[in-house]
Amino acid sequence: ASIAMHDSGGQGAVESIARRLVEMLDLHGIPHISSEAATSLASLVRRHPSIVSVVSAPLPRALKYISEPAGKASVIFLLGECGESIVEAPYVLEKVIDSYDSIAD
């Protein structure tokens, strides 16, 4: 992700890296990888808003499987940033809000 953050990978590098990170969101058996991928994607979207279309599709599903707090926070941020292109984003965020009181620190 460092290459994408510094624009040093050439044309198409940011999108390619974003796609690989999106694939890592679905690694259900390795929660820390999914969490770090979500955190890296959040940083990439902040720096390169043009990749929202690459990132947005798996986000509602990813929130179900990421268990680490930093990863969940990153997916929630991404749902807000990509909300215009995700039909179910408001409903996913509503579930997060409804369960907020039961979240352990």
Side-chain angles (χ1 to χ4, degrees):
S2 177
I3 292 170
M5 292 301 292
H6 299 294
D7 293 327
S8 60
Q11 185 176 2
V14 173
E15 290 82 8
S16 179
I17 291 168
R19 282 190 195 93
R20 298 302 169 258
L21 289 169
V22 166
E23 290 172 7
M24 290 179 195
L25 286 177
D26 288 332
L27 295 175
H28 307 303
I30 313 171
H32 66 280
I33 299 291
S34 298
S35 179
E36 290 298 324
T39 303
S40 295
L41 282 170
S43 296
L44 278 178
V45 167
R46 284 184 185 110
R47 177 100 162 101
H48 302 281
S50 63
I51 64 166
V52 164
S53 62
V54 174
V55 171
S56 60
L59 293 176
R61 180 179 67 245
L63 191 59
K64 295 177 188 177
Y65 299 108
I66 294 178
S67 57
E68 294 186 11
K72 279 190 181 275
S74 295
V75 173
I76 291 168
F77 166 80
L78 288 166
L79 283 167
E81 287 294 308
C82 305
E84 291 181 4
S85 60
I86 304 172
V87 175
E88 63 270 14
Y91 307 107
V92 173
L93 291 172
E94 184 177 22
K95 287 180 185 178
V96 171
I97 292 167
D98 290 344
S99 66
Y100 184 76
D101 290 335
S102 65
I103 297 173
D105 289 334

